[in-house]
Amino acid sequence: MSQNPPDLRPDLAPRPVFDALKREGQPTIGMVSLGCPKALVDSERILTRLRAEGYQISPDYRGAEAVIVNTCGFLDSAKAESLEAIGEALAENGRVIVTGCLGAEPDYITGAHPSVLAVTGPQQYEQVLDAVHHAVPPSPDPFIDLLPATGVKLTPRHYSYLKISEGCNHKCKFCIIPDMRGRLVSRPAHAVMREAEKLVEAGVKELLVISQDTSAYGLDLKHAEAKGHRAHITDLARDLGSLGAWVRLHYVYPYPHVRDLIPLMAEGLVLPYLDIPFQHAHPDVLKRMARPAAAAKTLDEIAAWRQTCPEITLRSTFIVGYPGETEEEFQTLLDWLDEAQLDRVGCFQYENVAGARSNALPDHVPDDVKQDRWDRFMEKAQAISEAKLAAKVGTRIEVIVDTVDEEGATCRTKADAPEIDGNLFIDEGFEDLTPGDIVTVEVDEAGEYDLWGRLA
């Protein structure tokens, strides 16, 4: 069991979990899935189609006849990580198909790795399948190759990501995701509900709702209603909450209508957890980012949310060292964080990204200053987290079990999303627990990011 480090990348998905069973003569494709949970869902959709066509999926390069690398292009460091993964796959296997966000820049990939078999962009599922068919022809056996009703999942069986839309209508200067993934395209609410119902029927205990902008869900559909379900985030959250699973909302922009979600949390229909990308607090920095510059009003909103639902957990991510950020502006962010008292916080040091408008801004911050500000920011965030967790000692809370080994059970509270937040550890009396169990625990110890407890 390991504690979550304070510098954990808040944009990364959990490590994929693969099913390694294989029949004799079955064609095998390897998969490397990088980046955020949204990319992980794309990988699941690709693998579901491949499994339906008779392919076996392998996490091992050497055991596969070709490898798909689903890339991330969010930051230059993520692009470098993607190129490194492609190079490793080429060295280990030799036959590589590239897809995902970095695939929107095919020349960038082929310039570094000209021997890749094919390059496709994000959400281009058909092109990926065509490339696989060309490299490794399918050989299905309809009597043996059975596909689960939920499709192939790369997460543990007790939780699943539920992607409700693609793309984004924002034009933040530091971000190129709209260029890679396009404008907002929402899934019909009845289609989301059908997928969620199948997942819950298959034993999923927690649904993690994801998109680029969850608050804007349904805006492109004019919040149309079809087959009894309206495409609006408040209605969708209420409908999902009726299924009996934990429902966790990610990437929620703080639009005014977000306040309508809070009563659903107070009622217990959805988890009292909001993941909101505030990015900064100083109005001038937010203006340079081309983001809403209403940090003071945001504090009022946070106070109102907590009044309606006192147990709400607020998670957010921030950028320090944005071009032009002064010491005074950074201090405003620290002061805002002191007042906001957010429960879970992630932080990036600003990086240039090819194609982002922020690259052209004046007064870029030196790397050593960015590092110093990141250290100071995380020190304050850590102190807030430590104090909030210490206040939980002696209380009883519900947790979901993620893993059990010989040392104990690693669990999460309602305040913790997989991988990006903290854990609760049980190291006595855990022997009868299994992943997916939801149990009540009495908290008896707290650290900076994690809790320890015993079964109540």
Side-chain angles (χ1 to χ4, degrees), residues 430-443:
F430 59 84
E431 292 79 9
D432 293 332
L433 295 177
T434 58
D437 287 347
I438 296 177
V439 296
T440 301
V441 171
E442 183 169 334
V443 179

Side-chain angles (χ1 to χ4, degrees), residues 2-19:
S2 63
Q3 300 178 44
N4 281 344
D7 58 347
L8 197 63
R9 281 268 298 277
D11 62 320
L12 294 184
R15 184 182 301 275
V17 178
F18 291 89
D19 176 6

Side-chain angles (χ1 to χ4, degrees), residues 325-453:
E325 183 189 58
T326 65
E327 178 61 27
E328 180 185 359
E329 290 170 343
F330 175 68
Q331 187 60 50
T332 296
L333 173 58
L334 292 184
D335 295 342
W336 186 91
L337 191 63
D338 254 338
E339 191 166 353
Q341 290 287 300
L342 302 182
D343 304 86
R344 301 283 188 260
V345 173
C347 186
F348 292 100
Q349 296 180 46
Y350 171 81
E351 294 181 24
N352 277 342
V353 179
R357 293 180 295 155
S358 56
N359 300 353
L361 290 173
D363 302 321
H364 280 244
V365 178
D367 288 345
D368 60 335
V369 176
K370 285 192 282 190
Q371 181 65 49
D372 174 69
R373 290 176 182 172
W374 186 90
D375 291 337
R376 290 157 60 196
F377 180 93
M378 290 309 299
E379 183 180 4
K380 182 172 289 292
Q382 178 179 306
I384 293 171
S385 173
E386 190 171 10
K388 282 180 169 283
L389 293 181
K392 295 181 184 292
V393 174
T395 64
R396 292 191 173 196
I397 54 178
E398 266 193 332
V399 301
I400 188 167
V401 179
D402 277 343
T403 61
V404 181
D405 57 27
E406 66 277 2
E407 296 181 20
T410 301
C411 314
R412 287 179 293 108
T413 73
K414 293 179 179 180
D416 301 302
E419 300 291 325
I420 61 173
D421 295 325
N423 293 311
L424 182 143
F425 301 108
I426 302 173
D427 49 23
E428 292 181 2
F430 59 84
E431 292 79 9
D432 293 332
L433 295 177
T434 58
D437 287 347
I438 296 177
V439 296
T440 301
V441 171
E442 183 169 334
V443 179
D444 53 22
E445 186 180 345
E448 296 164 346
Y449 298 99
D450 302 296
L451 298 169
W452 285 258

Side-chain angles (χ1 to χ4, degrees), residues 99-382:
T99 189
C101 286
L102 191 56
E105 303 178 51
D107 293 342
Y108 181 82
I109 294 169
T110 56
H113 298 296
S115 61
V116 295
L117 300 178
V119 178
T120 70
Q123 308 161 54
Q124 294 181 349
Y125 308 125
E126 297 300 331
Q127 290 91 325
V128 176
L129 293 172
D130 289 344
V132 172
H133 295 159
H134 184 73
V136 184
S139 179
D141 186 333
F143 299 103
I144 297 177
D145 298 330
L146 300 178
L147 187 67
T150 58
V152 175
K153 293 295 174 186
L154 297 179
T155 51
R157 290 191 174 96
H158 61 282
Y159 68 80
S160 181
Y161 292 103
L162 185 66
K163 185 155 63 170
I164 62 174
S165 66
E166 295 283 2
C168 180
N169 289 347
H170 290 283
K171 296 180 179 179
C172 304
K173 287 187 178 180
F174 57 82
C175 183
I176 60 171
I177 287 176
D179 297 326
M180 293 187 294
R181 289 185 170 262
R183 291 179 60 80
L184 176 71
V185 179
S186 301
R187 298 175 61 195
H190 64 85
V192 175
M193 286 301 299
R194 184 167 63 247
E195 180 182 354
E197 288 163 358
K198 288 182 178 179
L199 289 169
V200 173
E201 288 170 4
V204 168
K205 301 292 183 64
E206 180 179 9
L207 299 168
L208 298 111
V209 177
I210 59 171
S211 66
Q212 296 299 147
D213 180 1
T214 297
S215 306
Y217 170 72
L219 185 64
D220 56 312
L221 301 177
K222 297 182 172 23
H223 303 307
E225 181 173 339
K227 300 183 180 180
H229 298 283
R230 179 173 174 251
H232 189 285
I233 187 57
T234 306
D235 297 69
L236 181 64
R238 184 182 295 107
D239 291 346
L240 291 171
S242 70
L243 300 180
W246 284 12
V247 177
R248 190 180 301 277
L249 301 177
H250 285 283
Y251 315 121
V252 180
Y253 278 73
Y255 301 145
H257 69 263
V258 167
R259 63 175 66 105
D260 297 331
L261 292 168
I262 311 305
L264 303 182
M265 298 177 181
E267 294 170 25
L269 279 176
V270 298
L271 293 184
Y273 179 101
L274 272 184
D275 174 10
I276 297 182
F278 289 122
Q279 307 297 10
H280 211 278
H282 195 283
D284 291 344
V285 178
L286 291 168
K287 186 176 181 180
R288 292 197 298 274
M289 291 178 169
R291 290 181 63 84
K297 291 184 178 179
T298 300
L299 288 173
D300 293 339
E301 282 293 314
I302 289 173
W305 298 340
R306 286 174 169 155
Q307 185 172 8
T308 301
C309 183
E311 66 272 26
I312 193 170
T313 294
L314 299 178
R315 145 163 279 286
S316 190
T317 52
F318 295 86
I319 297 173
V320 296
Y322 191 77
E325 183 189 58
T326 65
E327 178 61 27
E328 180 185 359
E329 290 170 343
F330 175 68
Q331 187 60 50
T332 296
L333 173 58
L334 292 184
D335 295 342
W336 186 91
L337 191 63
D338 254 338
E339 191 166 353
Q341 290 287 300
L342 302 182
D343 304 86
R344 301 283 188 260
V345 173
C347 186
F348 292 100
Q349 296 180 46
Y350 171 81
E351 294 181 24
N352 277 342
V353 179
R357 293 180 295 155
S358 56
N359 300 353
L361 290 173
D363 302 321
H364 280 244
V365 178
D367 288 345
D368 60 335
V369 176
K370 285 192 282 190
Q371 181 65 49
D372 174 69
R373 290 176 182 172
W374 186 90
D375 291 337
R376 290 157 60 196
F377 180 93
M378 290 309 299
E379 183 180 4
K380 182 172 289 292
Q382 178 179 306

